[in-house]
Amino acid sequence: MALDMKYFEEMEAKIPRGEVRTRFAPSPTGYMHVGNLRTALYTWLIARNAGGTFILRIEDTDQGRLVEGATDVIYKTLAECRLNHDEGPDVGGPVAPYIQSERRDTYGKYARLLVEKGCAYYCFCEKSEGEEETFDKTEDPCRSLSLAEAQARVDAGEPYVIRQRIPDEGTTTFHDAVFGDITVENKTLDDQVLIKRDGLPTYNFANVIDDHLMGITHVVRGSEYLSSAPKYNLLYEGFGWEVPTYVHCSPVMRDAHNKMSKRHGDPSYEDLKEQGFLTDAILNYVALLGWSPRGDIAEQEVFSLEELAKAFDLEGMSKSPAIFDIEKLTHFNALYLRAMSPEDFAQAAGPYIRKAVKHEYLSVSEIAALLQARCEKLTDIPEKVSFFQELPVYDAELFTNKKSKTNPEVSKAMLEAAISMLEELPDWTQDAIHDGLVALAERLEVKNATLMWPVRIAAAGQAVTPGGAVEICRILGRDETLRRLRLGLNML
């Protein structure tokens, strides 16, 4: 059965050309790990830096690994990270469909075209996956069948796979934007399966066909695919197609010896969000795992997404593995939290404050104002502010502080004086409380700290608090403050 060349001509005519086109092509396995997020980010940045097109393609040909709802995780993560795609399953585009399983017929046609060109062959041998690894291509009897013989067996309904025919001799050289030129001997490459017995393509084949037909100019993927690149090159050459720019990213490691992986419980994007990290801080940190800015901005550490898009270039990418350091990410997160407007911080912190502080009369925005400069992660908040909800059980020893020159005796005198003064205070405002306590310390002829320390301990019941005595009393309100100070006095 002769191939209809018109089909291939029409497919070629549809390919968008003349611009940078990149794609993020995840498998829907339900988990956006850090390396995956970095691939998505770099792919998006290359397109945006060049004013090109960013495409989302779902690679679901490995049906055994699919997880229900996983595609939604991909959409949700990209949307939260503002990595907007110009073409994809949900928005369409000139080279739809953008889901591999919906492109099934295409792959079979291109595999047959490759057979006609002599760059692939029908193989009727039955092999398990384990045997595939040890299989010597020169021993495959199907390799030497004539096209007519093989076609007759196909027409008779015999099950088959289609394999790539790798040259026996010579070398294949490919160029990578990060790793440079790499040459391999063809005899070290196996005749990989392109179309499986069920008619579905392998990942390695579908990927090349789709990248070409979607006009992809830059292919960004992990360096674990470097070993497959020569076979991809030979496929492009077999079809007579232009090879895209390969960008292989060095791995993200948990430590000097281990790659990050879901199996080892390393965090996904979702996990990091749950651990109290901000999306912008995660993206900023992930961008610097394997890429560094150059020139005037070489020392810059904090980048908005827009600044990254402007600064990103392939020359800044590193061959060395990047180590994921949660402390460094925490440092970035603290910088981002402090840089937020008070309103935005209060909005982000609100749900975490309310986890611990249920009393509605206690103001979220007032508590948030105390936290902003003292918070590294949003998840630290409930523990820091739970004393507002309920006075914790604490030890009278807390009233003793060498630096503030307090001991139980001094603290007792300070609390007695503070209670009398606060009871009489006409207004319960920040300034009134502050001025009242400062004037009282002066009258008692003690340093401010000697008075403030016992007031804060009695009001909060803990040694370390966001905010000082004045702010805590102000937020608690007069009645609750006096109730707590009297409890402290009784303890002494």
Side-chain angles (χ1 to χ4, degrees):
M1 186 178 72
L3 284 174
D4 174 12
M5 294 312 289
K6 193 161 165 270
Y7 170 80
F8 299 108
E9 286 157 17
E10 284 170 1
M11 294 298 275
E12 285 296 310
K14 277 191 214 165
I15 300 172
R17 302 179 195 274
E19 59 160 1
V20 166
R21 289 173 63 82
T22 67
R23 50 74 170 169
F24 176 53
S27 297
T29 53
Y31 177 89
M32 183 74 87
H33 59 74
V34 169
N36 230 1
L37 178 62
R38 185 186 63 170
T39 301
L41 176 61
Y42 286 179
T43 309
W44 184 88
L45 290 171
I46 291 168
R48 292 294 170 257
N49 180 270
T53 297
F54 175 61
I55 296 160
L56 173 64
R57 182 171 82 218
I58 302 294
E59 303 209 330
D60 61 347
T61 51
D62 190 350
Q63 298 285 314
R65 288 180 65 225
L66 302 190
V67 174
E68 204 175 326
T71 309
D72 298 336
V73 171
I74 294 164
Y75 285 131
K76 182 170 173 273
T77 305
L78 291 179
E80 273 185 26
C81 295
R82 307 199 312 286
L83 303 178
N84 52 313
H85 49 282
D86 307 299
E87 298 173 23
D90 54 338
V91 291
V95 286
Y98 293 89
I99 296 178
Q100 275 190 340
S101 57
E102 293 174 14
R103 301 171 65 82
R104 184 175 177 153
D105 295 347
T106 307
Y107 308 119
K109 290 188 174 83
Y110 278 91
R112 285 198 293 281
L113 177 61
L114 214 52
V115 170
E116 297 240 332
K117 286 174 173 284
C119 299
Y121 60 96
Y122 293 107
C123 178
F124 305 94
C125 310
E126 276 196 53
K127 277 185 271 305
S128 69
E129 268 187 44
E131 288 172 310
E132 281 291 348
E133 302 302 314
T134 55
F135 178 66
D136 181 354
K137 64 185 174 195
T138 57
E139 290 172 10
D140 189 336
C142 305
R143 215 169 183 251
S144 54
L145 289 175
S146 71
L147 187 50
E149 283 176 283
Q151 192 60 55
R153 290 173 70 171
V154 169
D155 295 343
E158 207 174 318
Y160 64 89
V161 299
I162 295 181
R163 288 181 181 278
Q164 183 175 4
R165 187 190 297 277
I166 304 275
D168 298 332
E169 303 298 320
T171 59
T172 296
T173 299
F174 68 94
H175 181 76
D176 178 78
V178 181
F179 290 87
D181 285 336
I182 296 178
T183 300
V184 297
E185 292 193 39
N186 290 331
K187 64 180 182 201
T188 63
L189 305 173
D190 62 325
D191 282 359
Q192 64 178 349
V193 172
L194 305 178
I195 299 287
K196 298 179 281 195
R197 285 181 167 241
D198 60 6
L200 277 174
T202 54
Y203 166 83
N204 285 328
F205 185 56
N207 191 311
V208 167
I209 301 300
D210 288 343
D211 285 345
H212 175 70
L213 294 179
M214 292 183 177
I216 302 303
T217 59
H218 293 69
V219 173
V220 184
R221 56 179 163 236
S223 58
E224 66 270 22
Y225 290 104
L226 275 170
S227 58
S228 304
K231 293 188 264 193
Y232 298 147
N233 249 44
L234 289 166
L235 286 172
Y236 282 107
E237 286 167 15
F239 284 117
W241 294 340
E242 197 178 327
V243 179
T245 300
Y246 296 138
V247 183
H248 286 88
C249 310
S250 56
V252 180
M253 310 286 282
R254 173 158 32 113
D255 52 44
H257 308 291
N258 298 290
K259 275 178 74 169
M260 283 184 81
S261 81
K262 181 180 176 181
R263 274 203 306 279
H264 292 119
D266 290 317
S268 67
Y269 166 76
E270 294 284 326
D271 296 333
L272 291 171
K273 286 282 304 246
E274 273 172 31
Q275 288 167 24
F277 293 103
L278 299 169
T279 296
D280 288 349
I282 298 170
L283 282 176
N284 190 155
Y285 178 62
V286 165
L288 300 173
L289 287 174
W291 172 82
S292 2
R294 301 178 313 132
D296 300 346
I297 51 167
E299 299 305 310
Q300 191 174 327
E301 206 178 34
V302 176
F303 290 88
S304 68
L305 199 54
E306 294 68 33
E307 287 172 323
L308 280 172
K310 217 184 243 165
F312 193 82
D313 62 352
L314 296 176
E315 284 77 29
M317 289 183 70
S318 166
K319 293 181 197 178
S320 311
I323 293 182
F324 182 82
D325 179 351
I326 202 88
E327 281 176 26
K328 185 80 173 149
L329 173 57
T330 305
H331 159 73
F332 270 97
N333 206 59
L335 294 178
Y336 271 85
L337 287 171
R338 290 184 194 132
M340 288 170 111
S341 72
E343 298 73 26
D344 286 347
F345 179 78
Q347 198 178 352
Y352 295 90
I353 292 171
R354 278 290 175 240
K355 265 186 193 168
V357 183
K358 309 277 192 236
H359 295 312
E360 288 295 331
Y361 71 86
L362 293 167
S363 157
V364 160
S365 58
E366 287 177 6
I367 295 174
L370 303 187
L371 288 164
Q372 189 164 3
R374 302 174 175 87
C375 178
E376 292 191 316
K377 292 192 321 223
L378 295 170
T379 40
D380 298 342
I381 290 174
E383 193 187 352
K384 286 181 188 286
V385 300
S386 58
F387 70 86
F388 280 110
Q389 174 71 14
E390 194 177 346
L391 184 67
V393 175
Y394 65 100
D395 199 303
E397 277 176 20
L398 282 185
F399 285 110
T400 302
N401 182 273
K402 206 168 163 187
K403 201 171 158 200
S404 301
K405 299 197 166 73
T406 62
N407 58 29
E409 221 171 330
V410 171
S411 294
K412 183 169 180 283
M414 293 299 117
L415 285 179
E416 280 171 347
I419 290 168
S420 301
M421 187 277 293
L422 291 171
E423 279 174 336
E424 302 302 319
L425 207 60
D427 297 316
W428 197 260
T429 62
Q430 186 100 344
D431 288 347
I433 299 166
H434 173 270
D435 296 350
L437 286 170
V438 169
L440 177 60
E442 207 175 311
R443 261 203 324 280
L444 297 169
E445 296 180 345
V446 295
K447 283 187 164 170
N448 287 346
T450 309
L451 174 62
M452 299 289 190
W453 181 272
V455 170
R456 189 175 63 84
I457 294 299
Q462 57 192 48
V464 180
T465 55
V470 175
E471 293 104 326
I472 291 168
C473 294
R474 156 76 196 87
I475 291 169
L476 284 171
R478 192 193 305 261
D479 293 348
E480 181 61 12
T481 298
L482 290 168
R483 183 184 78 81
R484 291 183 178 200
L485 265 50
R486 289 184 190 114
L487 286 171
L489 185 59
N490 291 342
M491 193 188 276
L492 294 165

